Amino acid sequence: MTQRGYYWVSANHADRYDGETQTFVLSLIETNNFLQQVRKVGLRTRYHGPTDIDLL
């Protein structure tokens, strides 16, 4: 995670973020809302799927 991304997550989603494993546990609806918020502030996400890594 970038420094900017870490600060944004800490300020907005600290209750859902596990800093030790650097993961979130979200429902499908929460994930959709999270990704929309990320895009609005100009950040990107990386999805680690079963066969490849995608930037969203």
Side-chain angles (χ1 to χ4, degrees):
M1 183 180 311
T2 65
Q3 189 82 12
R4 181 176 172 227
Y6 176 77
Y7 287 138
W8 183 81
V9 167
S10 296
N12 296 288
H13 298 282
D15 58 326
R16 304 297 298 221
Y17 179 65
D18 182 352
E20 193 171 304
T21 61
Q22 295 186 345
T23 58
F24 286 95
V25 177
L26 303 170
S27 69
L28 185 57
I29 292 171
E30 291 170 326
T31 300
N32 190 40
N33 291 335
F34 174 78
L35 291 173
Q36 288 176 358
Q37 291 174 9
V38 166
R39 290 183 193 117
K40 284 181 184 178
V41 297
L43 296 171
R44 296 186 297 176
T45 59
R46 188 180 331 171
Y47 169 73
H48 292 257
T51 59
D52 203 1
I53 297 173
D54 295 318
L55 293 177
L56 305 172

